[in-house]
Structures are given as C-alpha cells and as structure tokens.
Amino acid sequence: MCKLSSVFLMVIIFVQYGCRSYTFSKGGRVESNFMTYYFNDSLKVGAVLYGNMPLDTANSGIGTSLTNLHHLDKEVLKKFHINKSDALLFSFKGKDNATCSVIGLVRNSSAMQLSDYKNAKEGQTFFLVKTIQYKNRDAYEGLIRIDQNRFLSIIYYLPSEKATGRVEEFNTIMLYSAKRIKEGQSMLSVLNVFEDAEELFSDHGYLTPFKLIERRGNYGVSNFTDQALATYYSFCGDLDLANKASEAFMGIKKENLDAKDLAPAAARILSQTVNKQVVMFNTAHHVPQHAYFLGELLDRLYKQGFTYLALEGLGDTSTVMKNGFVSFNDGIYIRDPVFSNLVCKARAIGFKIIGYDTDSDDREEGQVQNIVDQSLKLNKDSRVVVLAGYAHIQENSTPKKMAAFFKEMTGIDPLTIDQTTLMTSSCKSLETNNMEDVFLYSGEDLKTGTDLVIWNNINMQNKPIGFPATGEVKGIKIDIPDLSSKKDSVAAFSIYNHANYVIDSTVTPIFVKVIPTKKNTFPIKIGRGKYLVKCLGYDKRLLYKVELIVN
C-alpha cells in the first residue's frame, strides 16, 4: 500500500480562485484514524485515502488557499479532460515525487462521456474506472456516484519513474470510499477502534474482544477493526478467532508447502547468528508463536554473546529492568502473556531490554537511532537481538525499512529472519511423527527482502506455560467450580507468578484462556513454583481466586 504517513505529505485545499482553468472547492477538512478521511462539508462528500496523515503535516494548513496546482497534476487533469465546472477537492503528493499522487474532485455527470469508463467490482462494491497513459505509465481515474448529477472522482498516478505505487492502492482508495458513500457514512467521523479497545481493556480486561465485536458497526468500513480483534483475541488465548480475524484484514492465502523445502530451523539459524553482531526476527503482533520461538533460542543466543534484546512492542523499559517483569503499563502488546514471558525470560538470563519504537514521521530511521543509542553507542561491540513487526526487517524494499536504514547508518549487516510470510501455510507431506515445529524454508524465492524465511508451526497447546527448564515442567489439572451463577457466560482464566503479583497487581499474567463459567477441569503444563489463579468476568468481576503450588 502507498502509506501516506511514511512520506512528507502536502494537502492542498483550494478556494474558488487562483487558477485559470479549474474550480477549487473550499470547506475541506481531514481526520486521521489509521486511515486518512477527507470531508467537504459544503459539497457533502467524503473520501478515504490509505495511510495516516496528522493535520500538522499539512503543507499550508487545512482550509487555507494556494494559487495553483503542481504542473504534473495539471498535465494529468488535462489528459482526463477535467471540465471547468468540476470542483477540485484535494491533492496528495509525496516528497520528491517518490510515491503515488492522488487528486480528488467532484464531477458533473452531464458533462462526461461515461462510455469511456469501464465497470469495476471489488466484492459487492462497484465503481467506474478509466485508464490512460501518462509518461509511459498508467494513470487511473475512478468514479463513484454521489447523487443523480455528481460523481466523486479519484485520480491516481505515479509522478516519476522512481515513484512507488500499485494499482491495488488505487483500488483500496476506491473500495473504501465507495463503501462509505454507499452506506451513507461518507460524512461521518470515524471512531478509533484501537482507542476503544484500550478503554474496553481497562474495564473488561481479557474479555475485551467479546465487547469490541458488539461495537463493530461503530467503525465504518475499516480493516483495522479486524486487526484490533485479532490482536485482542490473541491476548486472551483464542488463537482460532485471532486467525480468522487476521485473514479478514490481511487476506492471506494459505500455501501448501512441500516437506522437501523444509529443514529444522533452530540449529541452522544459530549456525549463522554465531558470526553476526545483530540478528532481527519479525513477528505478527497477533501470533504469539513468533515470540515463543525466539524465547526458545534466547539461552543459546546469550551464550553466543548477544546481550541486548530490542523490542518494538515495548515502551519504557526502566521498570522492566528493575523488577524483571512487565505490567499492563509497559505497552499494548505486552498484554500478550507469551510476549511478556519472553521479556521475563530474557531479563532472567541477563539480557538488557530495549524498547525502540517511535511515533515520529521518520519512524524507520527513528527506530534505528533508538536501538543504536541504547546499545551500540554505549558499546560498539554490543550484540543485539531485535524483534520487530512485519516488514520492518526488510533489507531491500521501497521505501526503505528499518533494517535497511540500520545497515546504512551503522555499517552492520544484520541477519534478518522472516516469520510472517508463511504464517498461514501448511504442509500436508510432513511426516506425522516429526518432532520439529519450526522450519527453515528453502523453496522458491518469496521476495521477502530478508536473509532467511521460516515456517513457524508451533502448537501453543503442546507447550508449557512460560519458559521453564525441561526438568521442571509438570502436567497438572486445575478444577474450576461452577461460576455460571455469577451471570457471566465466559471468564478470563488467568495464571500469575505469585511473587510478581504481590509486587504489582497489574503484572501481565503468564497464561490467559477464555473459558465457559460452567464447572471445568483445565489441563496445563507448567514449571514448579507458586502461582495465583484468577477467573474474571466482565467489568473485571472476580469470580474465582486460588493459590496454586506446583512441587
């Protein structure tokens, strides 16, 4: 996608004067809630643009006037035969013409040759499309009917040969804009689903996704609803629902892998990390198996000389370094018990923990600087393990990602290991008695922009809670009494490290599972120690609490 938040954006909102050929409409405003929403109150029309654009990045401020269009925009508009009566709404243009350019208009249907346009369909949503050649590159205009006399027109083109963009980006803009117009939502402000989820978590804890889904209609047409659901389903241990939600927002096709292209990953990865100063793994934030696999490698990586663990999903690490565990205040993704357990294990081994993410406009470079400032700047020979989200570890993508900037800024070539590309894949030809669960992939080039690609097939139900030493693991059963009289149909069954809970009751549990409130026996694998078991209903009502000692 053309992420408008990752480049310097210019928003041009015009008043009705200043250019001899075109009509400029006033009344434009922009809202940013993961997507960029344009509204024009005077013309009663709105559009959805992919990406996030804070208002303070607008070149001249919202509602002010400029006197002219960029000359490239003029050339494209001329080729699309834009009439003087057509009202220009906005123009988005990337810095140095390095990304797509998008122009929005309202066009009068009576002055158009609609026979020049073809019907396009995305799901159950229809719009019209016209394609022209501009400087030997395709340029697109999409039309969405606003009313009997008007169309919303979106023009999409690449202003230079070096500019990045795909027709899929144009289709995304058209699809979201058309859906909102069709459903009568084009002038409605869009609620922030992640902000709502944050509020719900403070009220209902790990039952948040079951409340969030009740509000689904509040968020309009947005894949971020499914992304939020996938994230919070994974926090509460319902990985089946997390995977269904993730497929809805990512649209990932399942690939059947051939066993001949797979080899046990751990030893092969460690044979390469031994000679590397920096190793970067990626993760999907709703897939705890990714953090778990890194946790299985931590002891051996520490023995190889790695002493820093840099985590995108962690905020301020001072409390973590002091207490040795994390709490809900340390970041959203730290609410995932598996991710939390990874941090606790790393700290217990001796790793220094780094939180490195940033919300600055140059996020990728800012992430690198934060890693360097907290590790290599203190000791140039430091060895660092990084766990980053999704594409940040790509080394040759356009625009550049964190890993590419890291190599450029430090001169260190990191070993990059992709876990997300094959995360919905399967392998029918794998022997049923195979004991491995993470494999190095050696098949066709998947163009991930990373050094290695692995297929993480970990089944969390087969793994012990946390990362106990093998000899300490015991299989036990926990009996939960009938809690149905408490008026909750489900409860968040949580297990805490007892000592950590005494220090801070907001500590992240080491295990969470949503269970029915009827009488239940819950089998687990867990290390020796003292624990606290709690069952919480909605509004965090305490339904059951008991201490658990495993000898």
Side-chain angles (χ1 to χ4, degrees):
M1 292 294 179
C2 177
K3 294 191 175 180
L4 300 174
S5 58
S6 64
V7 296
F8 179 81
L9 296 173
M10 297 189 298
V11 179
I12 308 169
I13 308 296
F14 297 96
V15 296
Q16 296 185 20
Y17 58 84
C19 179
R20 63 180 183 274
S21 301
Y22 302 112
T23 302
F24 303 108
S25 176
K26 60 184 179 180
R29 56 188 174 86
V30 173
E31 293 182 9
S32 296
N33 273 326
F34 298 99
M35 309 285 276
T36 297
Y37 296 86
Y38 171 85
F39 304 95
N40 191 291
D41 298 304
S42 61
L43 295 178
K44 303 298 182 187
V45 65
V48 186
L49 298 170
Y50 190 87
N52 191 7
M53 188 199 66
L55 297 184
D56 57 8
T57 65
N59 167 273
S60 58
I62 299 301
T64 61
S65 63
L66 295 177
T67 59
N68 215 330
L69 275 172
H70 192 280
H71 72 90
L72 294 178
D73 287 348
K74 288 183 182 180
E75 293 176 10
V76 172
L77 291 176
K78 185 176 181 181
K79 283 184 172 292
F80 277 112
H81 305 295
I82 303 302
N83 300 304
K84 291 182 179 181
S85 61
D86 296 332
L88 276 140
L89 304 176
F90 58 80
S91 172
F92 287 139
K93 191 173 299 296
K95 185 179 180 181
D96 299 326
N97 294 324
T99 61
C100 63
S101 291
V102 184
I103 307 170
L105 311 95
V106 171
R107 301 195 64 180
N108 190 322
S109 58
S110 63
M112 299 177 63
Q113 293 291 330
L114 295 181
S115 59
D116 294 341
Y117 295 79
K118 296 181 179 179
N119 286 310
K121 180 182 178 183
E122 290 283 332
Q124 298 301 311
T125 303
F126 295 85
F127 50 90
L128 298 174
V129 177
K130 180 179 180 180
T131 306
I132 64 168
Q133 283 286 302
Y134 170 69
K135 295 184 181 297
N136 298 318
R137 297 181 294 275
D138 286 339
Y140 307 94
E141 182 189 16
L143 298 178
I144 305 166
R145 186 175 288 279
I146 302 170
D147 52 38
Q148 186 174 356
N149 300 315
R150 300 183 303 159
F151 285 96
L152 170 66
S153 166
I154 301 292
I155 292 176
Y156 176 102
Y157 73 98
L158 301 181
S160 68
E161 291 184 358
K162 66 178 181 180
T164 58
R166 304 187 310 276
V167 66
E168 289 82 5
E169 299 166 354
F170 167 73
N171 288 336
T172 297
I173 294 170
M174 296 304 300
L175 174 63
Y176 287 168
S177 297
K179 280 187 174 181
R180 281 178 62 80
I181 289 174
K182 177 183 177 182
E183 296 174 11
Q185 299 176 343
S186 65
M187 294 303 294
L188 298 180
S189 294
V190 177
L191 299 178
N192 187 321
V193 63
F194 280 97
E195 288 180 0
D196 268 13
E198 186 84 353
E199 179 183 337
L200 287 170
F201 190 85
S202 67
D203 294 335
H204 303 288
Y206 286 99
L207 296 182
T208 289
F210 303 96
K211 284 291 185 180
L212 187 63
I213 201 166
E214 295 174 3
R215 301 186 181 185
R216 188 182 189 104
N218 295 347
Y219 309 114
V221 181
S222 173
N223 284 344
F224 289 103
T225 305
D226 291 304
Q227 185 174 349
L229 285 168
T231 300
Y232 280 85
Y233 278 135
S234 72
F235 290 172
C236 71
D238 198 325
L239 300 187
D240 288 338
L241 287 178
N243 289 335
K244 287 181 181 178
S246 77
E247 289 180 10
F249 80 83
M250 298 185 74
I252 295 177
K253 180 183 178 182
K254 291 188 176 182
E255 298 287 348
N256 184 32
L257 304 177
D258 193 322
K260 69 178 177 59
D261 296 326
L262 304 173
R268 288 167 172 79
I269 288 173
L270 291 166
S271 69
Q272 296 194 44
T273 57
V274 70
N275 297 315
K276 285 288 185 176
Q277 186 173 356
V278 176
V279 56
M280 296 181 177
F281 295 80
N282 71 354
T283 180
H285 298 300
H286 64 281
V287 182
Q289 293 93 326
H290 295 161
Y292 195 92
F293 177 57
L294 177 55
E296 291 183 317
L297 298 178
L298 278 184
D299 289 293
R300 287 168 285 182
L301 289 169
Y302 191 75
K303 289 178 180 178
Q304 287 184 349
F306 290 91
T307 56
Y308 286 90
L309 176 61
L311 301 168
E312 177 186 314
L314 188 61
D316 178 29
T317 60
S318 56
T319 305
V320 176
M321 293 299 295
K322 176 184 176 182
N323 293 338
F325 60 84
V326 294
S327 69
F328 294 151
N329 297 324
D330 292 317
I332 292 177
Y333 295 117
I334 211 65
R335 295 166 182 171
D336 173 13
V338 178
F339 189 23
S340 171
N341 294 340
L342 168 70
V343 177
C344 293
K345 177 175 181 178
R347 188 70 194 99
I349 292 172
F351 277 92
K352 298 178 181 67
I353 311 298
I354 296 172
Y356 69 85
D357 205 2
T358 175
D359 57 2
S360 63
D361 291 337
D362 54 348
R363 184 184 179 196
E364 306 292 334
E365 294 170 88
Q367 288 184 340
V368 174
Q369 194 62 57
N370 287 340
I371 294 173
V372 171
D373 287 347
Q374 298 177 79
S375 58
L376 297 169
K377 194 172 182 179
L378 304 176
N379 178 356
K380 64 180 179 63
D381 296 321
S382 297
R383 302 184 71 191
V384 186
V385 180
V386 179
L387 184 63
Y390 293 104
H392 292 295
I393 68 167
Q394 292 178 358
E395 298 185 67
N396 58 7
S397 62
T398 303
K400 289 182 183 177
K401 298 298 184 181
M402 181 268 291
F405 280 115
F406 185 90
K407 183 176 180 180
E408 183 179 284
M409 294 167 66
T410 67
I412 299 171
D413 183 13
L415 177 67
T416 50
I417 303 170
D418 174 87
Q419 298 190 90
T420 61
T421 299
L422 298 178
M423 65 184 178
T424 62
S425 299
S426 61
C427 182
K428 295 179 181 178
S429 58
L430 198 65
E431 294 181 8
T432 56
N433 62 349
N434 180 78
M435 300 301 292
E436 299 291 334
D437 48 20
V438 182
F439 300 87
L440 193 65
Y441 176 77
S442 61
E444 64 176 298
D445 184 4
L446 298 176
K447 303 187 185 305
T448 61
T450 61
D451 297 311
L452 303 176
V453 178
I454 62 176
W455 176 49
N456 186 324
N457 192 40
I458 290 175
N459 184 343
M460 295 303 297
Q461 292 182 351
N462 296 335
K463 295 295 184 179
I465 294 171
F467 296 98
T470 304
E472 296 180 351
V473 177
K474 292 196 68 175
I476 64 172
K477 293 182 179 180
I478 300 177
D479 293 322
I480 305 297
D482 188 351
L483 305 173
S484 55
S485 62
K486 306 291 185 178
K487 298 181 180 180
D488 286 306
S489 59
V490 293
F493 170 85
S494 306
I495 302 177
Y496 299 84
N497 178 292
H498 192 281
N500 294 345
Y501 186 89
V502 170
I503 296 171
D504 182 355
S505 62
T506 68
V507 63
T508 304
I510 64 172
F511 179 80
V512 178
K513 185 73 175 178
V514 174
I515 62 172
T517 51
K518 63 184 180 181
K519 186 176 181 180
N520 206 340
T521 298
F522 205 79
I524 60 171
K525 297 177 183 178
I526 196 168
R528 290 181 171 86
K530 186 176 182 180
Y531 305 94
L532 180 66
V533 175
K534 293 173 68 176
C535 290
L536 298 178
Y538 291 111
D539 299 312
K540 294 185 177 178
R541 286 190 297 272
L542 180 62
L543 307 181
Y544 181 69
K545 179 180 177 180
V546 67
E547 288 186 358
L548 172 67
I549 298 176
V550 181
N551 295 312

